[in-house]
Amino acid sequence: MQIETLAPAHDRQDLRPRILHIGFGAFARAHQLVYLDQVLADGGDWGVIACRLNSGVEDLDALDAADGIYHVLEADDQGIVARPVGAVVGSLHPVRDGIAAVTGRIADPALAIISLTITEKGYALKGDGLDADHAGIKADLANPDAPRTAIGVIVAGLRARRDAGQGGLTVMSCDNLPHNGRLARAAVLDYARLLDADLAGWIEGNVRFPATMVDRIVPALNDKALALIEQATGRADPNSILTEPFRQWVIEDDFAAGRPAFEDAGAQMVQDVAPFEEMKLRMLNGSHTFLACLGQLAGCETVSDCMDDPVLRDAARRLMLTEQAPTLRPLPGVDIADYADQLIARFGNSTLQHRTAQIATDTSAKLPQRLVAPAAAHLAADRDWPLTALAIAGWMRLVRQTVDGGGKPADPMADRLAQVVADTQDGGDYVTAMLALTQVFPVELAADPRFAAPIASAYLNIVRTGARTAIANAMGAA
């Protein structure tokens, strides 16, 4: 495969620590940092401090040893472009550097943005606010000078910033959840109110929480990807990453202390992110979850394997256009059919080897916005939703199959899911018990026979005929 390695895009000597990125994982390296690196090609001092709060000390050490430089390999079936990214000017980890180094960085007057990729779990949410009973949150509130959760760390840093007489900054969530700015704001303010009402008032008046929509497929690295990285860069590098050429970033233009010119790198600065995030979460992520669960059940290891199966490919596109698109608000200038075709083409990128098992992790946290909300919209509009029902049932079947096989679901609710399997016989009783999981399914919706019956029917169809035939049957009913 042909690999083109680009030269560095900018001179790094003028960079200052202006952004603290918490959760410096694969997606951040392949998405936000690429945009910023491209912006820096035209000048500026917007350097990034890479921060992880739990694992990853060794990776940060390797990043420091490489002077903050890593490569992003943008790959498709036509070739690879290896892009060096040099926006990082330092790293922090509380285990290595102490928590005071992290909160002190937040208090630094040069810092203007805290950006986040901490996954849904990192916000410790319950509904639209903070889960005050979350074990990590309770521990942080009991010992606020040594926080361990991302929310506790942010608030401790903001307290240090206020006490030092510094101005406000921006907390920018880049996680793949709807209304991420509003939810980040709610989590931070709820925690601050439990700790210090005056601090909460200062945050409310001085800190901004813009919403964002992010899109780039970044699979977990496998041996083939690691070999490509070594071939492109000449060395093994735990921080370099393989991703697709496509990227999209929609950002609410609401910043407290300035920002890089993200639009110069192709980001869309808007006043309302919600229509964009709904389109992406439902059409891309909803169909990804469909393929992750049903594809595994049908024996497909990767998303591109799913696209090689005409039944799965056609079902994914039909799900997008007939069951997801009708639930979206109009978005001027967007051709939904063209967007669906772009997604199918991206899913077919075999170089990425995007594993269905990886996409299926944490599904209980993903279902509400990706599939349950669209199903509720269909009920309200009296429309059929056979493929959506099949996707939800496919998750239930995958959970049961995993537990019955002696495994454990890769899910924050793994223990509860395993208990449901242990307590029920396979079939309708099991589906009813799964629908009773209020963290996933709203109580009133789960109690509605118009919601429960199609899912139970889809589940039994999978059990009796297998996933692939069940998909074909559902398309015949659509």
Side-chain angles (χ1 to χ4, degrees):
M1 178 173 288
Q2 181 177 356
I3 301 178
E4 177 188 2
T5 301
L6 303 179
H10 57 88
D11 186 347
R12 305 175 67 241
Q13 65 181 0
D14 294 330
L15 298 184
R16 300 169 60 213
R18 305 291 308 282
I19 300 172
L20 175 69
H21 187 90
I22 300 177
F24 194 72
F27 187 81
R29 300 196 301 274
H31 189 268
Q32 294 95 305
L33 271 289
V34 172
Y35 277 92
L36 180 59
D37 198 72
Q38 188 172 332
V39 170
L40 293 173
D42 294 325
D45 64 353
W46 289 90
V48 173
I49 299 293
C51 178
R52 299 189 71 169
L53 298 179
N54 298 302
S55 62
V57 173
E58 297 83 2
D59 290 348
L60 292 180
D61 288 344
L63 185 65
D64 291 340
D67 197 25
I69 298 173
Y70 65 93
H71 283 76
V72 172
L73 274 63
E74 299 172 343
D76 60 20
D77 294 322
Q78 283 69 55
I80 296 175
V81 174
R83 178 191 301 274
V85 176
V88 175
V89 295
S91 71
L92 282 172
H93 198 293
V95 171
R96 184 190 67 189
D97 306 304
I99 192 63
V102 182
T103 57
R105 178 59 65 185
I106 296 173
D108 185 341
L111 197 77
I113 297 172
I114 302 171
S115 53
L116 305 173
T117 47
I118 56 177
T119 78
E120 294 97 329
K121 294 179 291 186
Y123 296 87
L125 296 167
K126 185 176 183 180
D128 290 335
L130 184 74
D131 181 1
D133 293 324
H134 185 281
I137 295 297
K138 291 172 73 173
D140 283 0
L141 288 168
N143 192 10
D145 293 328
R148 300 184 60 131
T149 69
I151 300 304
V153 168
I154 291 167
V155 173
L158 292 174
R159 180 177 61 177
R161 190 176 182 92
R162 179 203 62 175
D163 292 348
Q166 306 301 337
L169 49 61
T170 297
V171 176
M172 178 173 65
S173 171
C174 301
D175 281 296
N176 190 31
L177 69 164
H179 316 298
N180 54 14
R182 177 169 59 80
L183 293 175
R185 183 179 187 274
V188 168
L189 283 174
D190 286 353
Y191 181 96
R193 290 186 186 108
L194 292 171
L195 188 67
D196 178 346
D198 290 340
L199 174 61
W202 183 89
I203 293 172
E204 197 162 13
N206 292 276
V207 180
R208 299 289 180 269
F209 297 85
T212 70
M213 185 278 274
V214 296
D215 187 4
R216 192 169 218 183
I217 295 171
V218 185
L221 293 175
N222 58 19
D223 290 343
K224 180 179 178 182
L226 292 170
L228 287 172
I229 288 169
E230 189 163 0
Q231 181 182 348
T233 66
R235 64 186 180 90
D237 181 7
N239 289 294
S240 290
I241 201 73
L242 182 77
T243 185
E244 64 173 337
F246 179 90
R247 56 183 164 92
Q248 185 181 16
W249 197 6
V250 184
I251 307 171
E252 181 186 3
D253 200 357
D254 183 21
F255 288 74
R259 63 170 177 83
F262 292 123
E263 63 270 32
D264 290 350
Q268 297 165 262
M269 309 302 301
V270 302
Q271 295 304 308
D272 185 8
V273 171
F276 295 92
E277 70 184 11
E278 286 178 0
M279 181 179 71
K280 188 256 180 175
L281 280 165
R282 294 184 183 182
M283 292 189 67
L284 188 158
N285 298 121
S287 57
H288 249 176
T289 296
F290 175 93
L291 294 169
C293 296
L294 293 165
Q296 280 190 85
L297 294 172
C300 294
E301 184 175 352
T302 68
V303 175
S304 62
D305 291 340
C306 295
M307 293 300 97
D308 288 338
D309 184 315
V311 171
L312 285 164
R313 184 182 63 246
D314 292 349
R317 188 176 187 276
R318 186 176 297 193
L319 173 69
M320 294 177 198
L321 292 177
T322 67
E323 296 189 27
Q324 300 285 42
T327 71
L328 302 175
R329 288 176 280 176
L331 199 56
V334 175
D335 184 323
I336 290 293
D338 182 62
Y339 181 67
D341 289 339
Q342 289 181 37
L343 291 176
I344 294 298
R346 291 168 62 193
F347 291 173
N349 185 344
S350 64
T351 306
L352 296 183
Q353 295 290 296
H354 200 185
R355 296 174 60 247
T356 49
Q358 179 198 352
I359 299 168
T361 59
D362 301 342
T363 300
S364 69
K366 299 170 180 175
L367 278 180
Q369 63 267 24
R370 297 184 181 190
L371 294 164
V372 176
H378 288 305
L379 289 181
D382 197 25
R383 292 188 298 254
D384 292 332
W385 44 286
L387 293 171
T388 304
L390 195 68
I392 296 170
W395 170 65
M396 294 179 178
R397 184 60 184 163
L398 188 62
V399 168
R400 179 116 210 164
Q401 186 171 284
T402 300
V403 175
D404 284 345
K408 184 175 182 179
D411 196 284
M413 293 180 62
D415 292 339
R416 181 73 185 98
L417 295 174
Q419 193 62 51
V420 171
V421 172
D423 290 346
T424 58
Q425 296 293 319
D426 199 9
D429 289 344
Y430 167 63
V431 173
T432 299
M434 290 291 277
L435 289 173
L437 297 171
T438 57
Q439 300 95 321
V440 183
F441 304 103
V443 174
E444 291 184 2
L445 185 64
D448 189 334
R450 298 177 303 149
F451 179 74
I455 295 171
S457 177
Y459 183 87
L460 294 176
N461 197 6
I462 295 171
V463 172
R464 291 168 181 163
T465 69
R468 192 174 183 278
T469 301
I471 294 168
N473 290 343
M475 285 199 291

